[in-house]
Amino acid sequence: MRALDALELDSDANFGSVKAAYRRLAKENHPDLKPGDEQAAKRFQQVKAAYDVLRRSEERREAKPR
């Protein structure tokens, strides 16, 4: 749930929404676009970590035999 919160998404978001939110937030807060902005760098790291958690979860869900 916290990962979805970090990406500013609702609990019923699909993975396509996760990817879109990650791209948007990563672009807004990327350290290369905002050099010297510690808040943006910290937010970028939060967004990246949240996306990594959700991506791994999606990969496990897809790999699970049905």
Side-chain angles (χ1 to χ4, degrees):
M1 192 65 170
R2 288 184 292 172
L4 289 171
D5 290 341
L7 294 174
E8 302 171 358
L9 294 171
D10 294 328
S11 61
D12 62 346
N14 63 24
F15 194 67
S17 298
V18 168
K19 286 171 81 171
Y22 167 71
R23 288 181 180 151
R24 176 180 54 83
L25 292 169
K27 188 174 182 179
E28 287 175 10
N29 296 289
H30 199 282
D32 287 347
L33 296 176
K34 295 187 174 187
D37 186 345
E38 290 297 319
Q39 286 295 90
K42 184 182 268 189
R43 180 75 175 121
F44 177 78
Q45 291 300 322
Q46 289 174 334
V47 167
K48 178 151 176 34
Y51 178 73
D52 288 343
V53 166
L54 294 169
R55 181 182 48 82
R56 285 192 302 267
S57 175
E58 180 69 8
E59 288 171 354
R60 284 191 304 271
R61 190 183 69 74
E62 288 179 351
K64 185 185 277 189
R66 295 179 186 202

